[in-house]
Amino acid sequence: MKIVYLAVKYITVVGTFLQGFFEHLSCRMYDVLIEDGRYLRANEMCGHIEHELIKKRGTAFGVCFFPFLFNLLIGLILTAVGSVNIFYLGEFFMSADSKVPNFPNFLFLWVGISCLTNLFPQIEDALTLKEQIYGKGKSNLFVKIIAAPIFAVLYVGSYLQSVGLTLVTSVVFSLFMPSILGTFIPQLYNTVAG
């Protein structure tokens, strides 16, 4: 599985680098000591930075959630641009007469999928967050209920990312994204259908 994980990380190198960069920024923002700040390593820390054990609930949440949020926003915007142009409008080539691929559309799609593939925290960070929120006597019931959906996404996603399945989910999502956008933006659907 390590080979699959590393292959996915290097195929999606832009998202891998951005994930490490946003983790680095989050650790600096919360004054978490960084032990190894290299983003691209040939081990399970590829796309992550090595930092000290986090002992505060808010810090653990911030280090897990903010890199997720930033990569998600970048990934959604760029995937929307690329997938609508390629899969919905069929703009594969620069012009109707040309056989030159429309590189900007494919670049947007690749970078967007790359960011969506590298959303989730490292498994150890997700487990630290679990201990900080759901450990005995750590937080009240209200916080546990409010944090449950976010924690579930981060926790399951970190396991999917550790085996390389987030690339598959990101590609499938990019295929369905024009339909999802057409549901919320009827003008998009009407433009193509009409």
Side-chain angles (χ1 to χ4, degrees):
M1 281 303 169
K2 181 180 174 184
I3 294 171
V4 173
Y5 172 77
L6 288 175
V8 167
K9 286 293 192 175
Y10 282 107
I11 289 169
T12 61
V13 68
V14 175
T16 302
F17 186 83
L18 282 175
Q19 181 182 30
F21 176 72
F22 289 135
E23 280 186 15
H24 198 133
L25 283 181
S26 296
C27 286
R28 299 285 283 194
M29 186 173 69
Y30 285 104
D31 292 327
V32 175
L33 179 66
I34 297 168
E35 296 172 1
D36 190 352
R38 293 178 294 160
Y39 305 154
L40 300 173
R41 290 182 275 175
N43 60 20
E44 70 278 350
M45 293 297 293
C46 187
H48 301 285
I49 59 167
E50 195 170 338
H51 54 79
E52 69 179 350
L53 183 65
I54 299 172
K55 297 187 168 110
K56 294 181 182 175
R57 181 177 59 216
T59 302
F61 180 78
V63 168
C64 288
F65 181 71
F66 287 119
F68 167 82
L69 180 65
F70 295 143
N71 257 14
L72 178 67
L73 293 175
I74 293 170
L76 287 176
I77 291 167
L78 294 178
T79 303
V81 171
S83 67
V84 166
N85 286 334
I86 292 172
F87 302 129
Y88 208 62
L89 300 176
E91 294 182 1
F92 296 108
F93 303 108
M94 293 300 270
S95 67
D97 325 346
S98 168
K99 294 298 179 190
V100 177
N102 195 333
F103 289 113
N105 288 342
F106 287 104
L107 182 65
F108 284 136
L109 186 63
W110 173 66
V111 173
I113 288 173
S114 176
C115 288
L116 292 177
T117 301
N118 295 287
L119 290 176
F120 303 103
Q122 185 185 9
I123 293 174
E124 287 78 13
D125 288 342
L127 291 173
T128 300
L129 180 62
K130 177 183 176 186
E131 175 60 32
Q132 293 298 327
I133 294 176
Y134 298 103
K136 188 170 182 169
K138 291 287 186 177
S139 55
N140 61 30
L141 183 63
F142 180 72
V143 171
K144 290 178 182 179
I145 291 170
I146 295 297
I150 296 170
F151 171 72
V153 167
L154 293 174
Y155 189 68
V156 170
S158 65
Y159 277 104
L160 291 176
Q161 184 172 289
S162 70
V163 294
L165 285 178
T166 52
L167 178 61
V168 175
T169 59
S170 299
V171 169
V172 169
F173 176 75
S174 72
L175 293 171
F176 288 106
M177 190 167 200
S179 299
I180 295 168
L181 288 175
T183 303
F184 295 107
I185 307 170
Q187 292 82 7
L188 179 66
Y189 178 76
N190 293 337
T191 301
V192 175

